[in-house]
């Protein structure tokens, strides 16, 4: 029975380990799928990084082009400013030349006027003044037109260069901002990649640890299974040996029965030959429904004597008594005799916390101890049933609690004790076995001729009967 119990326990442990192995394999598959997903995300991130690098290269090239274009525009602006400066210098030079020509013409005209007749001097001076005024007006108009044209050209060119520089500056700022965002995104992606690589490495380490643990568990349970098989083989060999010994004993018993029957026939034939009248004194003892009658034949004498034939029948039965005590509101209302559960009841009007309380079952030399979790509470008037692990009950705390790997041992005499967190006994339940015995006796007297003392089986007594109940 112990071997079968150990085999069942080892088988259950093996099944639990197989379920754990399946759970670990499922976790491994989940981690593998997460790793594959992380790899796919990593590939996507690498592709995005490459795209951003290409975009960064393109933006850098665009920025370089913009810078080159800005430099070219700056050079053109400088050239235009130099041209304007040169035109201003030319205008100033021409103005000086024209002033010199005017001075020379004026001097020449003055000489000519001095040579001309005085009569024409005023007319000539007037005409000269008019001509000079016309030349001066014409020159000033031309200068104004040139100045306005040059200023308009300069303003238009400067506006175009300014707008173009602003556009290029806006594009450069946008490109710089996009480049900065791309760099920050690349840094965040690199950080994410590093985190995923760290998670991947930790997942690989966890997978390796789980694989090692699984291999160790498998090796351990393989060794346990091999030991169990060896023990089963040894037990089978012992059972075969005991069966062979039992068969030999049965053969010996059959031979002895045959020999006893032969001796009985010889005794009966000897009694018949010697004309012996056997008078029996039978004592029958029946325990738990079985009777063993016997006959006693006294020694032969010269006259008939009276003897007392007594037959006693004894019956016994078993009964169990259950007693319980409780110091508080919680008591043990039921302890299943088959070891399935222990039931506690709160008969008070307040909620009681059972955290740290223990149920101790002593059945002969075996003992079971169950400790409640710190969060278990028993409401007023509520029940809690603590089930054995091998019953298959559903774990539904706080009303139904299933022990882990334990069961309630049973025996003819067993005691269940409930202790609080300080170790004080709060309730007890004791179950004892009582044996009731009943004896029935029959007596009768009869005469016989004493011969010799023989012992053989006899049944169906008659005579005066008396009944004794013990």
């Amino acid at each position: 029975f112990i071997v079968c119990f150990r085999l069942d326990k080892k088988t259950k442990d093996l099944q639990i380990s197989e379920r754990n192995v399946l759970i670990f394999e499922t976790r491994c598959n989940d981690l593998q799928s997460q790793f594959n997903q992380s790899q796919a995300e990593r590939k996507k991130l690498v592709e995005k990084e490459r795209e951003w690098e290409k975009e960064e290269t393109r933006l850098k090239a665009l920025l370089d082009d913009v810078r080159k274009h800005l430099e070219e525009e700056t050079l053109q602006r400088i050239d235009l400013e130099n041209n304007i400066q040169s035109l201003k210098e030319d205008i100033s030079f021409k103005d000086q030349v024209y002033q010199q020509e005017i001075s020379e013409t004026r001097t020449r005209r003055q000489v000519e006027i001095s040579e001309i007749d005085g009569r024409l001097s005023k007319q000539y001076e007037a005409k000269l003044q008019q001509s000079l005024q016309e030349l001066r007006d014409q020159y000033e108009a031309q200068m104004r037109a040139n100045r306005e044209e040059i200023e308009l050209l300069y303003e238009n060119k400067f506006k175009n260069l300014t707008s173009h520089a602003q556009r290029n500056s806006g594009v450069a700022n946008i490109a710089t901002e996009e480049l900065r965002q791309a760099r920050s995104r690349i840094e965040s992606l690199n950080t994410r990649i590093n985190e995923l690589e760290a998670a991947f490495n930790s997942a690989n380490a966890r997978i390796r640890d789980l694989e090692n643990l699984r291999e160790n568990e498998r090796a351990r349970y393989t060794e346990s299974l091999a030991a169990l098989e060896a023990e089963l083989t040894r037990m089978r060999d012992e059972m075969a040996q005991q069966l062979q010994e039992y068969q030999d004993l049965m053969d010996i018993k059959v031979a002895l029965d045959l020999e006893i029957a032969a001796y009985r026939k010889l005794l009966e034939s000897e009694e018949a030959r010697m004309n012996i009248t056997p008078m029996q004194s039978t004592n029958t003892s029946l325990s738990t429904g079985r009777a063993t009658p016997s006959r006693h034949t006294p020694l032969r004498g010269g006259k008939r004597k009276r003897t007392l034939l007594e037959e006693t029948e004894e019956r016994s039965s078993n009964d169990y008594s259950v007693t319980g005590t409780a110091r508080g509101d919680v008591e043990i209302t039921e302890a299943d005799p088959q070891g399935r559960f222990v039931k506690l009841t709160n008969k008070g009007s307040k909620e009681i916390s059972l955290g740290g309380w223990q149920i101790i079952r002593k059945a002969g030399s075996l003992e079971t101890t169950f400790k409640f979790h710190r969060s278990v509470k028993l409401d007023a008037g509520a029940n809690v049933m603590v089930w054995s692990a091998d019953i298959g009950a559903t774990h539904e705390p706080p009303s139904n609690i299933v022990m882990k790997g334990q069961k309630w041992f049973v025996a003819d005499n067993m005691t269940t004790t409930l202790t609080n967190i300080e170790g004080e006994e709060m309730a007890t339940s004791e179950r004892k076995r009582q044996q009731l015995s009943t004896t029935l006796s029959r007596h009768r007297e009869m005469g016989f001729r004493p011969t010799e003392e023989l012992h053989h089986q006899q049944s169906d007594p008659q005579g005066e009967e008396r009944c004794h109940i013990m």
Side-chain angles (χ1 to χ4, degrees):
F1 175 78
I2 296 174
V3 173
C4 293
F5 173 74
R6 289 180 179 175
L7 178 60
D8 293 337
K9 186 176 180 181
K10 294 291 184 180
T11 305
K12 290 178 181 177
D13 293 338
L14 180 60
Q15 293 176 357
I16 293 171
S17 300
E18 290 177 352
R19 287 196 294 270
N20 291 331
V21 168
L22 293 175
I23 292 171
F24 290 149
E25 290 178 351
T26 306
R27 290 182 179 175
C28 182
N29 294 328
D30 294 337
L31 292 173
Q32 187 67 31
S33 63
Q34 291 179 3
F35 168 69
N36 295 329
Q37 186 176 1
S38 300
Q39 285 292 102
E41 291 179 358
R42 182 176 179 274
K43 291 181 180 178
K44 291 180 181 178
L45 293 174
V46 169
E47 292 177 357
K48 288 184 179 180
E49 183 181 3
R50 291 176 181 173
E51 292 176 0
W52 283 113
E53 288 178 354
K54 293 180 181 178
E55 186 68 17
E56 182 182 3
T57 305
R58 186 181 67 79
L59 291 174
K60 285 182 179 179
L62 181 61
L63 182 61
D64 293 333
D65 293 336
V66 170
R67 286 178 178 174
K68 290 179 181 179
H69 192 64
L70 182 60
E71 291 175 357
E72 292 176 356
E73 294 294 331
T74 305
L75 292 175
Q76 289 179 3
R77 182 175 62 81
I78 294 170
D79 291 335
L80 289 174
E81 289 177 354
N82 293 329
N83 291 329
I84 291 169
Q85 187 67 28
S86 62
L87 288 173
K88 286 182 179 180
E89 291 175 356
D90 290 336
I91 290 170
S92 62
F93 177 75
K94 287 181 180 180
D95 189 15
Q96 292 176 1
V97 170
Y98 287 152
Q99 291 291 335
Q100 289 178 1
E101 288 179 354
I102 290 169
S103 299
E104 290 175 356
T105 304
R106 184 177 295 168
T107 304
R108 191 170 57 250
R109 290 297 180 183
Q110 287 178 359
V111 172
E112 288 177 356
I113 288 170
S114 65
E115 293 177 352
I116 299 172
D117 191 24
R119 222 167 22 103
L120 297 175
S121 61
K122 291 183 180 180
Q123 186 180 0
Y124 180 77
E125 287 180 358
K127 289 182 180 179
L128 182 61
Q129 290 292 332
Q130 187 178 359
S131 297
L132 289 174
Q133 186 66 34
E134 290 177 358
L135 288 173
R136 188 179 287 110
D137 292 338
Q138 185 178 0
Y139 176 70
E140 289 179 355
Q142 186 177 0
M143 285 292 292
R144 285 194 299 271
N146 290 332
R147 187 180 291 110
E148 289 176 357
E149 184 179 359
I150 290 170
E151 288 179 355
L152 182 62
L153 180 63
Y154 175 75
E155 289 177 358
N156 292 330
K157 195 67 176 176
F158 185 75
K159 288 179 180 179
N160 292 330
L161 289 174
T162 303
S163 62
H164 192 65
Q166 289 178 356
R167 287 196 301 270
N168 290 332
S169 177
V171 172
N173 292 329
I174 294 171
T176 305
E177 183 65 24
E178 290 180 354
L179 183 61
R180 185 180 62 79
Q181 292 178 0
R183 285 178 179 174
S184 63
R185 192 173 296 174
I186 288 170
E187 290 178 357
S188 63
L189 291 175
N190 288 327
T191 305
R192 178 63 177 169
I193 288 170
N194 294 327
E195 291 177 357
L196 291 174
E197 287 179 352
F200 173 69
N201 293 327
S202 63
N204 283 333
R206 179 62 177 169
I207 289 169
R208 287 193 296 270
D209 294 337
L210 291 175
E211 287 179 353
N212 294 328
L213 181 61
R214 184 185 64 181
E215 292 297 331
N216 294 330
E217 290 290 332
R218 184 177 294 173
R220 186 168 64 84
Y221 281 104
T222 302
E223 293 177 358
S224 300
L225 185 61
L228 286 174
E229 289 179 353
E231 189 173 359
L232 283 174
T233 303
R234 184 180 62 80
M235 294 299 295
R236 289 193 185 98
D237 294 338
E238 290 181 359
M239 289 174 64
Q241 184 178 0
Q242 291 178 1
L243 185 62
Q244 184 64 35
E245 293 177 357
Y246 177 74
Q247 188 66 34
D248 295 339
L249 291 174
M250 288 298 295
D251 294 338
I252 294 171
K253 179 179 179 298
V254 170
L256 289 174
D257 289 340
L258 293 174
E259 188 174 355
I260 289 169
Y263 281 116
R264 183 180 290 114
K265 288 182 179 181
L266 288 174
L267 289 173
E268 291 176 354
S269 62
E270 186 67 20
E271 288 178 354
R273 184 180 64 82
M274 298 178 68
N275 195 14
I276 298 173
T277 303
M279 291 300 171
Q280 297 89 3
S281 175
T282 306
N283 186 3
T284 304
S285 175
L286 180 61
S287 176
T288 64
R290 297 185 60 184
T292 306
S294 64
R295 187 181 68 181
H296 176 70
T297 305
L299 294 173
R300 171 179 286 183
K303 62 179 181 179
R304 293 178 61 90
K305 292 184 179 179
R306 298 185 64 85
T307 186
L308 178 64
L309 180 63
E310 178 180 356
E311 182 178 357
T312 303
E313 183 178 359
E314 182 177 354
R315 293 184 177 90
S316 63
S317 61
N318 295 323
D319 192 9
Y320 293 93
S321 64
V322 179
T323 58
T325 58
R327 292 180 55 187
D329 295 332
V330 181
E331 66 178 12
I332 303 173
T333 54
E334 186 176 359
D336 187 64
Q338 298 179 0
R340 295 182 301 172
F341 62 86
V342 173
K343 182 178 180 181
L344 304 180
T345 304
N346 181 8
K347 294 190 175 181
S349 59
K350 296 182 181 179
E351 182 184 63
I352 297 177
S353 175
L354 297 180
W357 289 37
Q358 292 183 355
I359 300 176
I360 302 173
R361 162 70 63 81
K362 293 182 180 179
S365 60
L366 302 175
E367 181 175 337
T368 304
T369 303
F370 172 75
K371 186 177 182 179
F372 286 96
H373 192 264
R374 62 177 179 273
S375 61
V376 177
K377 295 182 180 179
L378 188 59
D379 296 332
N383 299 322
V384 58
M385 300 179 70
V386 182
W387 296 84
S388 295
D390 56 351
I391 297 301
T394 304
H395 186 67
E396 296 176 349
S399 60
N400 290 288
I401 300 174
V402 180
M403 295 190 295
K404 294 182 179 180
Q406 287 184 307
K407 71 172 186 178
W408 299 116
F409 293 108
V410 294
D412 292 338
N413 299 324
M414 57 186 182
T415 304
T416 305
T417 307
L418 176 65
T419 61
N420 58 10
I421 194 170
E422 288 83 10
E424 299 176 353
E425 291 187 1
M426 301 302 295
T428 58
S429 177
E430 186 176 3
R431 185 173 183 269
K432 292 184 178 180
R433 178 182 178 183
Q434 295 179 348
Q435 186 174 2
L436 301 177
S437 178
T438 303
T439 304
L440 180 63
S441 298
R442 295 184 182 88
H443 301 274
R444 69 174 181 175
E445 288 183 355
M446 60 182 302
F448 73 100
R449 182 184 300 272
T451 57
E452 61 185 5
E453 185 175 1
L454 296 173
H455 293 274
H456 57 87
Q457 297 292 327
Q458 182 69 25
S459 61
D460 198 13
Q462 295 178 357
E464 183 182 358
E465 296 182 355
R466 288 188 298 172
C467 180
H468 300 279
I469 298 176
M470 297 180 62

